[in-house]
Amino acid sequence: MARRQCGCFVELTMEMGEPFAAAPGQFVHVRCEVPGLILRRPYSLYDVRKGSASLLIREVGAGSAWLCAVEEGCELDMLGPLGRGFSMSAGGRHALIAGGTGIAAIRFLATRLMELDGDTVVFWGVEGEKECGGLHGALDGEFDLRLATMDGSAGYAGNVIELFRASGTEGFTGIYACGPRGMLAGLAECIGSEGLARLQVCMEERMACGVGACRGCAVPVSSPPGGYLTACKDGPVFTGRELDWRRING
Amino acid sequence: MAEDKRVDLGIELSGIRLRNPVLVCSGTYGNGREYAEWLELEALGGLMTKSVTLAPCPGNAPPRLWETPSGMLNSIGLENAGLERFLADELTWLSHLDLPVWVNVAGFSPEEYVEVAGEISRTGLAAALELNISCPNVKRGGIHFSHDAHEAAALVELVKAEIEIPLYVKLTPRCTDIAHTAAMVAAAGADGISMINTFPAMAVDIETASPRLGNVTGGLSGPAIHPIAVRMVWEVARAVDLPIIGMGGIWTWKDAVEMMMVGSDAVAVGTLNFADPAAPLGIVDGIAAFLERKGMDSVTELVDMVRGEDE
């Protein structure tokens, strides 16, 4: 395991002992060796190459703090890849929208869509430029990246959905997003019911088992009415029409 | 493998042979299939299924999980696909394994419990039933089986009349005298006790002054409740002469041995499965090594060791 710090983000790159194939949107369930902390933490795959996989961590609590500080060379206990990833098709023009660490799944997806000859534009919302520590510059070299900062320190001043709307939401064959529920709900409202047909979102939820057994990471869905699917097994990627946005907003 | 060791890990509960005394708790292992690609399910002592209700149950509004120091709150709300789907999709699949299965049965009325229990018994595919009279997360129905020992006993009598397989009753820690509840359900015909269910609890996000769980309160599990479970098993083991499957925050083989020493005949691992689905198998190995070190021949020698000779 090797570590690289970029502003508030830490990229952990792990050498994989065995063949590891994963789709963008899939995640690994990581055990954090902190006394008194019992659940694994789900992290989207940020990059997967031959023989290695990487995650993008941001310190938000005890588990992520441990991961951000774990010694280089250590082995991590991970289950995965888990869940259903993004569905991809060749060609097309794609809008990818990320909030905060949602950029992890979105970056992996952008890489794969470009390999499939897709034209991609990535919109990334963060609090401020300082938070990124130059990560946005590095990613801008990989694809067309448009930054939105809440404090106006770089790129568009405001939230990422406003930036996406200002850039024109039409003309994209696919819309993909990963970020906090509020951002996803704002996006769903912005693109309307026609846009939902082209939307796939990767949900960030608290999880226990990670394999669909405990039903803890319930996501409200439109069919059956009032029902739920699990983020860990049925998701974390859902189509815009699968989700019950009214209950997600609530 | 543990089976190859010299000590005998096999036990018998209500006539059911288990290759070792370590089961997995209801709700923490799905219906087994979710873990089949990760490990050998047949190495477990037994499996207690996710709760089955008569009709499909959507479960509670999220968030359903919140982690607490050495514990976890959940309010799943019995989400399951209902009896019909359970029989067709899950129990049939499970029955092909060489693995004793306790089907956990829940309901919103006595009639529902009786119908679900009866149907499952009649399939002949389950080793036993676990009666969930103690889910802390369901408010519907207005029947408080778990609070009222008389209600619990009445339900056990009704269910027993409809089934031909052993009936285990899962007790809640939310009561003033768990030994009394155990004695009442024993007198009503229960074949065994499983204990304890989660402890009702709550957590709040102080930034927004809102509950962490959509259901406001939930059930606390994990190492935080283990000493409570040990004390309660101790009390029940002295009050009833039924097999006990002890559960509640078992995190290491030492916790499992401790639980057996206060009187449980078997143990079940719950929340730990989320951290490590293979942990129950490690616990089996740990128990075997302990027995060897202590020069014991059979795991049954652990049961009730703490009671001593003065009783």
Side-chain angles (χ1 to χ4, degrees):
Chain A
M1 192 278 302
R3 184 173 55 225
R4 190 164 61 125
Q5 178 104 29
C6 295
C8 295
F9 300 97
V10 170
E11 181 182 354
L12 293 183
T13 303
M14 293 148 303
E15 283 176 35
M16 308 304 283
E18 47 200 89
F20 187 82
Q26 285 194 296
F27 68 98
V28 288
H29 215 20
V30 187
R31 193 159 186 188
C32 303
E33 308 287 342
V34 181
L37 198 154
I38 62 175
L39 296 179
R40 288 173 181 265
R41 299 291 188 265
Y43 284 101
S44 293
L45 287 157
Y46 177 57
D47 195 12
V48 174
R49 288 158 200 258
K50 197 176 175 188
S52 78
S54 64
L55 311 176
L56 194 68
I57 319 281
R58 185 191 175 130
E59 187 178 328
V60 291
S64 51
W66 179 84
L67 270 174
C68 285
V70 72
E71 270 183 50
E72 289 200 287
C74 279
E75 278 199 6
L76 290 178
D77 176 351
M78 304 190 311
L79 276 179
L82 298 173
R84 175 176 69 165
F86 287 101
S87 161
M88 296 177 289
S89 51
R93 183 160 187 268
H94 310 286
L96 283 63
I97 300 141
T101 49
I103 193 66
I106 291 298
R107 187 264 187 126
F108 186 16
L109 174 65
T111 311
R112 288 293 159 90
L113 285 173
M114 287 192 303
E115 286 169 8
L116 292 168
D117 297 323
D119 179 11
T120 66
V121 185
V122 176
F123 302 87
W124 186 21
V126 294
E127 284 300 315
E129 187 181 22
K130 220 171 125 188
E131 182 184 346
C132 305
L135 185 58
H136 57 303
L139 294 176
D140 197 27
E142 296 180 12
F143 38 71
D144 180 358
L145 178 74
R146 303 183 191 173
L147 194 69
T149 56
M150 292 305 287
D151 66 5
S153 54
Y156 178 85
N159 79 41
V160 70
I161 304 305
E162 292 163 9
L163 167 62
F164 174 55
R165 185 189 281 126
S167 311
T169 61
E170 301 300 318
F172 292 106
T173 44
I175 304 169
Y176 311 80
C178 183
R181 277 193 176 202
M183 183 200 99
L184 300 178
L187 175 62
E189 199 179 328
C190 167
I191 60 178
S193 64
E194 184 279 326
L196 287 183
R198 289 177 287 143
L199 177 67
Q200 293 180 53
V201 298
C202 184
M203 305 293 286
E204 296 177 321
E205 299 293 325
R206 291 181 186 280
M207 294 176 185
C209 71
V211 297
C214 73
R215 321 304 293 181
C217 55
V219 175
V221 290
S222 46
S223 175
Y228 299 96
L229 289 175
T230 56
C232 69
K233 179 83 173 180
D234 304 311
V237 175
F238 296 92
T239 66
R241 289 201 165 152
E242 270 179 304
L243 299 174
D244 181 349
W245 290 100
R246 189 180 46 80
R247 283 188 292 153
I248 287 172
N249 273 323
Chain B
M1 293 302 290
E3 287 96 321
D4 300 329
K5 292 185 177 152
R6 279 179 287 120
V7 294
D8 182 8
L9 291 171
I11 62 165
E12 193 174 312
L13 293 177
S14 309
I16 305 159
R17 288 288 306 166
L18 279 66
R19 60 178 60 80
N20 66 63
V22 181
L23 297 87
V24 287
C25 294
S26 175
T28 69
Y29 234 69
N31 291 312
R33 266 213 282 195
E34 294 87 342
Y35 287 104
E37 65 175 294
W38 300 98
L39 53 90
E40 189 66 48
L41 290 171
E42 293 179 346
L44 296 168
L47 182 141
M48 306 174 107
T49 70
K50 175 132 188 63
S51 292
V52 183
T53 54
L54 184 59
C57 187
N60 286 335
R64 294 177 175 181
L65 297 173
W66 182 253
E67 191 173 10
T68 58
S70 296
M72 179 187 116
L73 295 179
N74 87 78
S75 68
I76 309 299
L78 300 180
E79 180 182 337
N80 78 100
L83 177 64
E84 199 179 320
R85 289 263 312 274
F86 175 78
L87 295 177
D89 301 343
E90 309 294 346
L91 190 56
T92 308
W93 184 88
L94 274 170
S95 69
H96 293 123
L97 299 178
D98 179 19
L99 175 69
V101 171
W102 269 249
V103 175
N104 183 293
V105 172
F108 301 103
S109 70
E111 293 75 22
E112 275 187 43
Y113 276 100
V114 168
E115 186 171 349
V116 175
E119 285 283 331
I120 290 165
S121 174
R122 284 189 285 276
T123 65
L125 300 178
L129 296 176
E130 182 184 43
L131 201 62
N132 181 3
I133 56 166
S134 53
C135 179
N137 294 321
V138 176
K139 291 178 184 136
R140 265 197 290 159
I143 298 160
H144 304 291
F145 300 112
S146 62
H147 299 217
D148 185 326
H150 293 274
E151 293 271 13
L155 181 66
V156 167
E157 250 177 67
L158 285 174
V159 170
K160 269 299 280 184
E162 289 295 317
I163 65 172
E164 288 177 355
I165 54 178
L167 180 66
Y168 279 60
V169 179
K170 187 165 186 177
L171 301 183
T172 175
R174 178 164 65 176
C175 59
T176 47
D177 184 357
I178 198 163
H180 174 66
T181 310
M184 291 286 290
V185 299
D191 298 289
I193 301 288
S194 60
M195 59 184 291
I196 56 175
N197 208 322
T198 57
F199 208 102
M202 181 173 176
V204 170
D205 177 353
I206 61 167
E207 295 298 329
T208 58
S210 53
R212 292 291 190 183
L213 297 176
N215 191 47
V216 182
T217 61
L220 178 65
S221 63
I225 69 164
H226 181 68
I228 299 174
V230 171
R231 185 266 295 176
M232 289 187 152
V233 167
W234 166 252
E235 290 177 354
V236 168
R238 281 140 55 105
V240 301
D241 190 22
L242 289 181
I244 298 172
I245 302 173
M247 57 191 72
I250 289 178
W251 219 252
T252 66
W253 64 266
K254 293 178 185 176
D255 299 331
V257 167
E258 181 184 31
M259 197 70 104
M260 294 185 75
M261 283 184 168
V262 294
S264 71
D265 300 88
V267 297
V269 172
T271 304
L272 174 58
N273 296 322
F274 302 143
D276 180 6
L281 309 184
I283 286 176
V284 171
D285 291 341
I287 294 171
F290 178 74
L291 295 173
E292 281 203 53
R293 177 156 65 82
K294 292 289 186 184
M296 296 181 186
D297 298 322
S298 163
V299 71
T300 57
E301 291 175 46
L302 291 175
V303 180
D304 230 0
M305 278 183 78
V306 174
R307 191 189 292 233
E309 289 166 7
D310 56 327
E311 291 187 43

